[in-house]
């Protein structure tokens, strides 16, 4: 998971160098990022199906190993891309690779730790959220010393190679291997639903919409962090140990993104997923608004971007845990992959944000929009998701009771 982090969170470091080297428009370059996000998510139902179908021993390692090869190939294509279509091919390959790794790893976590799904998925997803913090400075150094192409090749080979090796040590639990889960604040289904059954329930589509809304804001921030810092004039202003606000902000944001996942996941295990969602979405609204107020100060930018990511990263622990509690662990990898496709749809809002900024010449309007989206998400949790969850569990108990009576 750490090895696929740069594909998303390190991308912002390559945008302006690609613009300067190739002369491509920023919005055109960012379409590659949108394509990466889309294919990282939209292909995951197939990845999940393969991982579940091949069984606990061979499924995870096969899918994740293939993901490592695609990651290396994708950044290799980016290195030699002399046209936008070639860059888009590279984005597509890395998207397929990252999705194979991500979906399988998170699905595996939900299967192994049924009574601590929020914490387990949070710790797993933290590798993706915080992993880029380890390589922000090395990537910037190689970019400055060796250029875009060499950076893509070097880090593509490192990341893809480590994924291929690590994947061979992954497996899912065998049937009967795990003890019964201990009770917690969340209701867990007594049986496992197939993806077809899941897609016919209203509560799934409420979750899907919420994931879409919340993913959009964070992806806009992740894909345009360098542009936001430059727009506010703080990118190179000294902060910690003389490092520029952008460099420090990138590291801090990735660390906070990683911390958020196990933190909010553990809280969700204690007080319930929906209550934790409402809390974190509300805090996220405050964080986006603070950027419009404090973004022109270098430390204000660093603090605001960290708060944005600590309130955004939680969706990658709360949503998988909640989905598996609702629909069961047997088909969890496939089911979570269908939910994860909403992130792909959200990715297409990233170049739209860049287009709006190109016309308005500021980021304030986009940040205020994301503030409003978070507030809307809080309202949807209380007025739509919680009633939908209650109705779903009531229906499930009724069906289970009828089945028991028939026996």
């Amino acid at each position: 998971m750490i090895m696929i982090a740069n594909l998303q969170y390190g991308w912002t470091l390559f945008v302006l160098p690609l613009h300067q080297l190739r002369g491509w428009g920023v919005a055109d370059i960012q379409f590659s990022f949108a394509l990466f996000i889309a294919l990282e998510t939209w292909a995951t139902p197939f990845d999940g199906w393969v991982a579940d179908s091949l069984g606990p021993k061979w499924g995870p390692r096969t899918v994740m190993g293939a993901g490592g090869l695609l990651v290396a190939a994708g950044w290799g294509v980016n290195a030699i891309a002399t046209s936008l279509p070639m860059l888009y091919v590279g984005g597509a390959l890395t998207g397929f690779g990252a999705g194979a790794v991500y979906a399988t790893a998170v699905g595996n976590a939900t299967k192994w730790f049924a009574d601590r799904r929020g914490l387990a998925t949070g710790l797993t997803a933290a590798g993706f959220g915080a992993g880029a913090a380890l390589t922000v400075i090395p990537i910037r150094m190689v970019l400055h010393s060796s250029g875009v192409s060499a950076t893509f090749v070097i880090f593509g080979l490192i990341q893809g190679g480590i994924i291929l090796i690590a994947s061979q040590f992954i497996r899912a639990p065998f049937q009967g291997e795990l003890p019964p889960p201990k009770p917690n604040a969340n209701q867990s289904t007594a049986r496992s639903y197939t993806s077809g059954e899941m897609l016919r329930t209203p509560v799934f589509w409420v979750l899907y919409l919420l994931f879409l809304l919340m993913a959009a804001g964070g992806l806009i921030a992740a894909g345009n962090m360098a542009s936001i810092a430059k727009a506010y004039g703080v990118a190179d202003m000294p902060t910690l140990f003389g490092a520029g606000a952008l460099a420090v902000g990138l590291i801090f944001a990735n660390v906070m993104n990683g911390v958020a996942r196990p933190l909010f996941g553990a809280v969700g295990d204690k007080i319930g997923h929906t209550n934790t969602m409402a809390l974190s979405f509300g805090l996220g609204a405050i964080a986006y608004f603070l950027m419009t107020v404090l973004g022109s100060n270098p430390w204000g930018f660093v603090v605001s971007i960290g708060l944005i990511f600590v309130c955004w990263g939680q969706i990658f622990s709360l949503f998988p845990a909640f989905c598996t509690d609702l629909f069961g662990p047997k088909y969890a990898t496939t089911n979570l992959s269908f939910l994860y496709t909403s992130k792909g749809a959200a990715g297409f809002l990233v170049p739209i944000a860049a287009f709006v900024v190109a016309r308005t010449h500021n980021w304030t309007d986009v940040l205020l929009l994301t503030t409003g989206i978070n507030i809307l998400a809080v309202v949807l949790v209380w007025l739509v998701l919680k009633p939908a969850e209650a109705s779903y569990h009531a229906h499930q108990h009724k069906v289970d009771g009828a089945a028991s009576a028939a026996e």
Side-chain angles (χ1 to χ4, degrees):
M1 291 288 274
I2 291 173
M3 290 299 105
I4 62 171
N6 280 321
L7 309 182
Q8 178 169 310
Y9 297 108
W11 174 256
T12 189
L13 298 173
F14 292 92
V15 175
L16 294 180
L18 281 171
H19 168 67
Q20 294 165 357
L21 177 66
R22 304 298 186 191
W24 301 325
V26 171
D28 294 328
I29 294 170
Q30 288 292 38
F31 182 77
S32 180
F33 182 75
L35 191 62
F36 161 80
I37 296 295
L39 296 178
E40 178 198 20
T41 57
W42 291 349
T44 54
F46 174 75
D47 298 326
W49 175 77
V50 173
D52 287 337
S53 298
L54 292 180
K57 182 177 181 180
W58 294 106
R61 67 181 61 179
T62 299
V63 175
M64 296 178 83
L69 296 175
L70 289 169
V71 164
W75 271 30
V77 172
N78 285 346
I80 61 173
T82 55
S83 66
L84 285 168
M86 286 184 68
L87 186 71
Y88 299 156
V89 169
L93 290 173
T94 52
F96 286 130
V101 174
Y102 191 99
T104 308
V106 173
N108 229 34
T110 65
K111 294 179 180 181
W112 275 105
F113 307 100
D115 56 337
R116 292 290 184 271
R117 284 197 175 108
L119 177 59
T121 56
L123 287 169
T124 304
F128 185 64
L134 300 173
T135 48
V136 166
I137 293 177
I139 284 179
R140 285 172 63 92
M141 291 173 62
V142 177
L143 276 170
H144 289 143
S145 64
S146 303
V148 174
S149 296
T151 306
F152 274 131
V153 169
I154 292 169
F155 285 92
L157 290 174
I158 291 173
Q159 291 162 173
I162 291 177
I163 291 168
L164 182 60
I165 295 170
S167 66
Q168 303 312 302
F169 298 91
I170 300 294
R171 73 169 177 88
F174 297 115
Q175 186 173 2
E177 182 176 6
L178 301 179
K182 299 175 183 178
N184 62 17
N186 301 290
Q187 295 188 61
S188 297
T189 183
R191 71 181 183 91
S192 291
Y193 287 69
T194 66
S195 297
E197 292 174 316
M198 178 188 72
L199 293 173
R200 291 193 291 271
T201 64
V203 69
F204 170 79
W205 293 106
V206 178
L207 271 182
Y208 194 93
L209 174 61
L210 280 168
F211 199 105
L212 171 68
L213 292 174
M214 296 310 301
L219 290 174
I220 288 171
N224 294 284
M225 206 181 306
S227 299
I228 294 171
K230 288 186 178 296
Y232 280 111
V234 297
D236 297 317
M237 284 189 178
T239 50
L240 188 66
F241 303 121
L246 175 58
V248 175
L250 278 168
I251 296 172
F252 187 52
N254 286 317
V255 170
M256 290 298 98
N257 192 6
V259 167
R261 301 177 185 214
L263 172 64
F264 282 105
V267 172
D269 291 335
K270 295 292 185 182
I271 69 172
H273 300 312
T274 51
N275 293 332
T276 309
M277 285 179 184
L279 172 65
S280 60
F281 297 169
L283 292 174
I286 296 172
Y288 284 113
F289 181 74
L290 280 177
M291 179 62 82
T292 68
V293 178
L294 304 177
S296 57
N297 177 280
W299 277 111
F301 171 83
V302 171
V303 171
S304 298
I305 203 69
L307 289 174
I308 286 172
F309 278 89
V310 81
C311 296
W312 180 64
Q314 46 71 32
I315 67 176
F316 301 105
S317 58
L318 292 179
F319 280 81
F322 192 18
C323 184
T324 306
D325 282 339
L326 289 174
F327 304 111
K330 184 176 181 180
Y331 308 104
T333 306
T334 311
N335 290 345
L336 294 177
S337 297
F338 276 102
L339 177 61
Y340 196 53
T341 60
S342 62
K343 182 184 174 185
F348 281 99
L349 297 176
V350 175
I352 293 175
F355 177 81
V356 171
V357 171
R359 298 297 182 272
T360 62
H361 305 292
N362 71 80
W363 276 93
T364 300
D365 291 340
V366 174
L367 290 167
L368 289 176
L369 176 61
T370 55
T371 301
I373 288 174
N374 274 60
I375 294 172
L376 174 62
V378 174
V379 174
L380 289 174
V381 168
W382 288 114
L383 299 185
V384 182
L385 180 60
K386 288 182 77 72
E389 179 192 14
S391 175
Y392 168 81
H393 283 303
H395 175 72
Q396 181 187 12
H397 290 321
K398 183 178 179 181
V399 171
D400 292 343
S404 299
E407 292 175 359

